[in-house]
Amino acid sequence: MKIAIIGGGISGLSTAYYLKKFSLPVTEIVLYEASSRFGGWIDSKKVTLNNEDIYLEKGPRTLRLTTGELKEINSIKLANDLNLSSNIEIISKNHPASVNRYIYFNGQINVIKPKLIGKTPLMSKGLFRYLLKELRSPKRDSSVEDETIWSFISRRLDSEIAENLIDPVFKGITGGDVRNLSAAALLKTFYQYEDTFGSISKGAFNKARNPIMENYEKYHDLLELRDKYRHQSVWRFKDGMQKFTERLAEELSKYENVKLCLNDPVKSVSRKNDKMSLLSNNSHQDFDMVISSVYSKINNQFLSDEYVSLKESLSKIEAVNMVVVNFVFKDDLLPFKVKEITVLFF
């Protein structure tokens, strides 16, 4: 099987990596990247200040460990498999970067620190009242298979929580608007809690009392890593997140049947009998399968008109504009004694 992968970011590179790792019947992989570098959103720049190397990130600067979900743990396993363990920096839940989180809202920077009783700039009521409403809110109708995150959080907690907390957080994580994002997909565990137990709180309490035992034989390596990092928040690379994609590209380049193409944007993808015909800036080839890892609306630029229904569906997937700003201070100028903070602006 000959496979084309469109996009040389972390998604495209890791797809190619796992196709090789799992020894699938693939005869050739061709990965197309339109730009002059691999990495996509992951892009690190090194600057030196006071004889200290600092890595500024144009995209994500950490990867999560907080929830303990195996898909999160798998990212750090991949880094270990790529022999990058010595470059990994683990950030605990007590680290300033984890504790000091802020949202710029209503003309000022507000700390994300809900009170059990009493209001904050982000919450007009204490956390206890929101939780009480969540426990009392009726379960959704069984005919409802999905809804937006905005609808789900507003219904179970409050529209204020959706607006002031959840929306900026998900903009930072996904680049999407909670008024359009799927609750069933992105809040899968909480959505299942409501379906099974009638509320998020009851589901979380039940899980704490009766933890689900995953298939240890199948996922033993991930489960062991999860236990190791149980009390950690996020992780990153000491030499910048770009280290991840650079090493993936380096690893893939070792295989004779993997071709990595830079400066080679895809022009068109169409069906040709039982094959997929792909025209790029530098070649025209037929494939058994084409996998795209780029933004949905970019796909519409090269998909042929025979995929009218698919193009219509892809055009409906929205995203929001995002800007990543890195602040570097020569001296201790902040009004509080921390080295790192996270601020979400919206």
Side-chain angles (χ1 to χ4, degrees):
M1 180 182 291
K2 185 178 179 182
I3 297 178
I5 299 174
I6 303 173
I10 186 67
S11 298
L13 291 168
S14 59
T15 297
Y17 175 83
Y18 284 115
L19 284 172
K20 292 300 299 181
K21 179 178 179 178
F22 294 134
S23 301
L24 299 175
V26 178
T27 56
E28 185 179 0
I29 297 172
V30 182
L31 187 148
Y32 296 89
E33 169 54 43
S35 73
S36 60
R37 54 172 289 277
F38 294 113
W41 273 90
I42 297 179
D43 189 3
S44 310
K45 181 181 179 181
K46 183 174 78 170
V47 298
T48 302
L49 183 65
N50 297 334
N51 297 319
E52 179 184 359
D53 290 338
I54 300 171
Y55 289 87
L56 307 180
E57 302 291 351
K58 295 182 180 180
R61 64 190 186 92
T62 58
L63 291 171
R64 295 190 303 168
L65 292 168
T66 308
T67 68
E69 292 188 23
L70 296 188
K71 62 183 179 181
E72 291 183 0
I73 302 301
N74 189 65
S75 64
I76 200 167
K77 180 182 183 300
L78 174 57
N80 290 332
D81 291 344
L82 293 169
N83 296 316
L84 289 170
S85 55
S86 62
N87 202 270
I88 290 174
E89 180 181 3
I90 303 296
I91 300 172
S92 73
K93 293 180 180 179
N94 296 321
H95 189 279
S98 301
V99 176
N100 300 293
R101 296 180 181 273
Y102 301 81
I103 289 178
Y104 183 82
F105 170 73
N106 201 23
Q108 64 181 18
I109 294 178
N110 304 279
V111 63
I112 305 177
K113 194 172 184 180
K115 294 181 180 179
L116 188 61
I117 299 174
K119 66 180 182 178
T120 69
L122 296 172
M123 299 167 59
S124 63
K125 298 185 287 286
L127 189 60
F128 178 78
R129 292 180 64 180
Y130 291 114
L131 293 176
L132 191 62
K133 178 191 173 183
E134 201 284 317
L135 281 167
R136 293 175 173 175
S137 295
K139 176 182 174 181
R140 71 177 180 276
D141 189 274
S142 59
S143 63
V144 178
E145 296 182 357
D146 197 6
E147 62 188 297
T148 66
I149 292 177
W150 173 271
S151 170
F152 178 58
I153 297 299
S154 297
R155 181 170 56 79
R156 294 228 56 89
L157 291 164
D158 194 282
S159 60
E160 183 180 58
I161 299 294
E163 175 75 28
N164 299 351
L165 291 175
I166 303 301
D167 188 40
V169 167
F170 271 89
K171 278 188 172 75
I173 294 173
T174 69
D177 190 327
V178 293
R179 292 171 178 81
N180 299 317
L181 294 173
S182 163
L186 294 175
L187 293 177
K188 182 179 179 181
T189 299
F190 294 153
Y191 214 59
Q192 290 176 342
Y193 282 169
E194 182 191 33
D195 187 50
T196 306
F197 303 101
S199 85
I200 300 171
S201 304
K202 291 176 183 177
F205 180 71
N206 185 274
K207 182 182 179 181
R209 292 184 59 187
N210 306 290
I212 299 173
M213 299 301 293
E214 287 97 346
N215 187 325
Y216 186 82
E217 183 177 349
K218 185 176 181 180
Y219 301 114
H220 71 278
D221 49 352
L222 291 176
L223 292 171
E224 287 177 355
L225 277 176
R226 184 175 68 179
D227 290 339
K228 178 180 179 180
Y229 298 118
R230 186 173 298 277
H231 302 294
Q232 311 305 328
S233 178
V234 295
W235 66 278
R236 64 186 177 189
F237 291 107
K238 299 173 185 176
D239 295 335
M241 296 303 291
Q242 191 170 310
K243 199 76 177 177
F244 213 169
T245 48
E246 287 177 346
R247 183 58 62 86
L248 272 171
E250 180 184 322
E251 186 69 21
L252 289 168
S253 66
K254 297 177 182 178
Y255 298 100
E256 292 183 0
N257 63 341
V258 177
K259 185 178 180 182
L260 304 178
C261 307
L262 288 172
N263 299 305
D264 199 4
V266 173
K267 301 295 186 181
S268 69
V269 174
S270 59
R271 184 171 291 281
K272 182 180 179 182
N273 299 321
D274 61 340
K275 301 286 186 180
M276 300 295 293
S277 178
L278 189 151
L279 174 66
S280 73
N281 198 52
N282 300 323
S283 68
H284 191 180
Q285 300 186 58
D286 293 337
F287 295 92
D288 298 295
M289 180 183 294
V290 175
I291 300 172
S292 177
S293 66
V294 299
Y295 175 45
S296 57
K297 292 185 178 179
I298 295 178
N299 288 295
N300 281 353
Q301 297 174 12
F302 53 72
L303 283 174
S304 65
D305 291 337
E306 63 190 294
Y307 298 106
V308 175
S309 178
L310 174 59
K311 292 176 73 172
E312 287 179 354
S313 297
L314 290 173
S315 68
K316 295 176 182 177
I317 301 176
E318 298 292 341
V320 296
N321 294 323
M322 296 180 66
V323 176
V324 178
V325 180
N326 293 265
F327 293 97
V328 180
F329 300 96
K330 291 183 178 180
D331 302 301
D332 294 333
L333 300 178
L334 296 177
F336 29 76
K337 296 295 181 181
V338 296
K339 291 185 177 181
E340 299 189 42
I341 62 171
T342 300
V343 184
L344 293 172
F345 294 83
F346 74 106

